[in-house]
């Protein structure tokens, strides 16, 4: 297997070259979690994998409680399928707590203060209430808990990791918080080994070929946990060694596809989900890699699996202006694929 094979297989397993799913909920469940730190970008990451879908379709899935937006891992907001949110948070909570430990100490957020803040959140939100960040800040301060921006942020994240709250409905352009158990009642819990096996299976099914180091980076789990998870599920996967690295992937490998082009948003799973991003960034010089934000911090154009440039949008009243910057010239087929990708994005926004 070569890096060219690797990126083609990833395009397939990431539901870009072949879509086998029909709804936003199914798509997020396929991945396990989809980064949604930038809200509009996260919605387009799903739309890119659901031909014919619109921004309104993703919004409806969120309003219908099919998708939940919270902090399941790496201290970063993700979309998670409602049916999975409880076991994913429970599996990752110890690592999330360790991740924030130094910040809690610096901000003088002891376990006593955290417990008090959680009790305040619960009382304020009980009964199906949805409150904004600023409203919760006021309530904390009225309870005698200082809640300047950094403290407030970490208290909200901790309450989310501890399965108390999650994002609820949007109020205009503002996000609200609500009680997780009232928004999505908890199902029967999974044993830790069951959850670890399922988390591992989801990642390598949707993101393979990938290494254990990639999985550890994406999930926030230790490399020891990543190895243990693979031991439990490796019967359903195959491995290949490329340049000394062992990659795991589903046993059924796709055939390579025709010329493809995608406008990927910031933090798209195709790039952000791997510790090693050298394959899709192959052929770029250091300046181009920097211009692409290492493939994750800038919206990128991906042609035949490799980063080939960047793009930006400007929203008008009834249109969207798309500007592209290419790192190299394209063939006629690649140019047409890029035009098609732009059309897909306009249709997603309802601005074709």
């Amino acid at each position: 297997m070569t890096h060219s094979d690797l990126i083609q297989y990833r395009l397939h397993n990431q539901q870009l070259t072949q879509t086998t799913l029909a709804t936003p909920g199914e798509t997020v469940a396929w991945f396990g979690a989809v980064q949604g730190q930038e809200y509009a970008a996260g919605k387009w990451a799903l739309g890119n994998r659901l031909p014919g879908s619109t921004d309104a379709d993703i919004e409806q899935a969120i309003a219908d409680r099919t998708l939940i937006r919270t902090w399941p891992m790496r201290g970063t907001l993700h979309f998670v399928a409602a049916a999975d949110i409880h076991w994913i948070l429970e599996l990752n909570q110890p690592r999330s707590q360790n991740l924030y430990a130094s910040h809690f100490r610096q901000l003088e957020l002891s376990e006593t203060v955290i417990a008090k803040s959680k009790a305040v959140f619960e009382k304020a939100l009980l009964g199906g209430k949805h409150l904004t960040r600023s409203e919760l800040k006021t309530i904390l301060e009225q309870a005698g808990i200082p809640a300047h921006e950094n403290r407030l942020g970490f208290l909200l994240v901790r309450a989310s990791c501890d399965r108390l709250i999650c994002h609820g409905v949007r109020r205009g352009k503002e996000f609200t918080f609500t009680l997780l158990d009232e928004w999505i009642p908890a199902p029967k819990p999974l044993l830790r080994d069951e959850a670890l096996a399922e988390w591992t299976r989801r990642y390598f099914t949707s993101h393979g070929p990938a290494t254990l180091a990639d999985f550890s980076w994406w999930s926030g789990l230790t490399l020891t946990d990543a190895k243990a998870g693979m031991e439990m599920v490796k019967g359903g996967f195959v491995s290949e060694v490329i340049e000394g690295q062992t990659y795991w992937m589903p046993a059924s490998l796709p055939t390579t596809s025709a010329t493809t082009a995608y406008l990927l948003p910031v933090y798209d799973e195709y790039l952000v989900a791997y510790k090693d991003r050298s394959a899709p960034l192959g052929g770029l010089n250091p300046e181009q890699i920097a211009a692409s934000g290492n493939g994750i911090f800038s919206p990128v154009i991906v042609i035949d699996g490799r980063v080939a440039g960047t793009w930006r949008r400007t929203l008008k009243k009834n249109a969207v202006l798309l500007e592209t910057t290419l790192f190299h010239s394209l063939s006629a087929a690649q140019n047409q694929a890029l035009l098609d990708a732009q059309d897909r994005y306009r249709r997603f926004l309802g601005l074709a």
Side-chain angles (χ1 to χ4, degrees):
M1 180 181 289
T2 66
H3 278 150
S4 294
D5 296 323
L6 180 147
I7 58 179
Q8 290 300 318
Y9 296 155
R10 283 183 182 172
L11 288 173
H12 176 89
N13 292 327
Q14 287 236 355
Q15 298 289 310
L16 286 166
T17 54
Q18 180 174 330
T19 301
T20 60
L21 307 170
T23 68
E26 289 174 358
T27 304
V28 171
W30 171 263
F31 283 94
V34 171
Q35 189 153 332
Q37 180 177 344
E38 294 287 339
Y39 187 64
K43 290 187 292 180
W44 172 231
L46 298 177
N48 233 343
R49 293 161 169 87
L50 290 167
S53 65
T54 65
D55 185 271
D57 294 333
I58 312 301
E59 286 281 3
Q60 190 61 51
I62 296 166
D64 290 343
R65 312 184 197 187
T66 304
L67 304 183
I68 307 301
R69 188 169 180 252
T70 191
W71 289 271
M73 59 196 192
R74 296 200 321 268
T76 303
L77 281 163
H78 285 73
F79 292 118
V80 180
D84 299 326
I85 186 63
H86 286 277
W87 67 261
I88 289 174
L89 286 173
E90 184 173 12
L91 174 66
N92 290 316
Q93 196 275 346
R95 290 290 292 171
S96 297
Q97 188 167 336
N98 290 340
L99 176 66
Y100 301 123
S102 63
H103 298 288
F104 292 147
R105 289 193 296 270
Q106 291 168 7
L107 295 168
E108 299 181 346
L109 292 174
S110 66
E111 287 299 316
T112 300
V113 173
I114 291 168
K116 184 178 178 181
S117 72
K118 288 166 62 178
V120 170
F121 290 151
E122 185 169 19
K123 181 179 179 181
L125 296 170
L126 196 63
K129 296 185 181 68
H130 294 249
L131 297 178
T132 65
R133 188 185 185 100
S134 60
E135 289 169 337
L136 290 174
K137 177 180 186 294
T138 298
I139 291 168
L140 283 175
E141 290 177 337
Q142 289 172 344
I145 302 173
H148 59 71
E149 193 60 21
N150 282 346
R151 281 174 64 98
L152 175 62
F154 281 105
L155 288 173
L156 290 171
V157 170
R158 176 61 186 271
S160 299
C161 293
D162 290 350
R163 291 181 292 157
L164 178 67
I165 63 175
C166 65
H167 277 188
V169 298
R170 282 214 294 171
R171 191 188 302 166
K173 293 186 177 181
E174 284 194 271
F175 296 99
T176 67
F177 293 87
T178 192
L179 293 178
L180 176 63
D181 281 350
E182 289 188 344
W183 195 235
I184 303 294
K188 180 181 178 181
L190 296 181
L191 297 176
R192 188 179 189 282
D193 280 355
E194 292 175 324
L196 179 57
E198 185 61 23
W199 199 224
T200 308
R201 185 181 297 108
R202 299 273 186 104
Y203 176 79
F204 286 99
T205 299
S206 58
H207 294 83
T211 67
L212 292 175
D214 291 329
F215 176 45
S216 177
W217 147 254
W218 176 82
S219 66
L221 297 174
T222 64
L223 193 55
T224 298
D225 276 339
K227 291 176 180 177
M230 179 51 70
E231 279 299 314
M232 288 187 274
V233 302
K234 68 180 183 181
F237 297 91
V238 295
S239 63
E240 291 278 352
V241 176
I242 307 175
E243 297 181 2
Q245 296 292 318
T246 300
Y247 291 81
W248 293 90
M249 68 210 79
S252 177
L253 298 178
T255 57
T256 57
S257 61
T259 296
T260 58
Y262 301 96
L263 301 181
L264 297 188
V266 292
Y267 308 124
D268 191 89
E269 290 293 313
Y270 181 69
L271 286 146
V272 76
Y274 307 93
K275 183 176 182 180
D276 180 1
R277 304 180 187 100
S278 58
L281 293 170
L284 300 186
N285 62 42
E287 291 77 16
Q288 291 168 334
I289 292 175
S292 75
N294 200 27
I296 58 176
F297 299 114
S298 296
V300 294
I301 299 166
V302 170
I303 305 287
D304 295 331
R306 297 187 190 275
V307 173
T310 61
W311 65 283
R312 52 181 281 182
R313 74 173 194 179
T314 302
L315 289 175
K316 304 290 186 178
K317 184 177 181 180
N318 294 308
V320 57
L321 173 65
L322 298 176
E323 300 173 72
T324 60
T325 301
L326 293 169
F327 295 150
H328 55 75
S329 60
L330 304 181
S331 68
Q334 291 171 333
N335 265 313
Q336 185 58 55
L338 179 55
L339 291 173
D340 292 343
Q342 294 178 59
D343 285 342
R344 288 199 301 274
Y345 185 62
R346 291 189 181 98
R347 289 195 298 270
F348 176 76
L349 295 181
L351 299 172

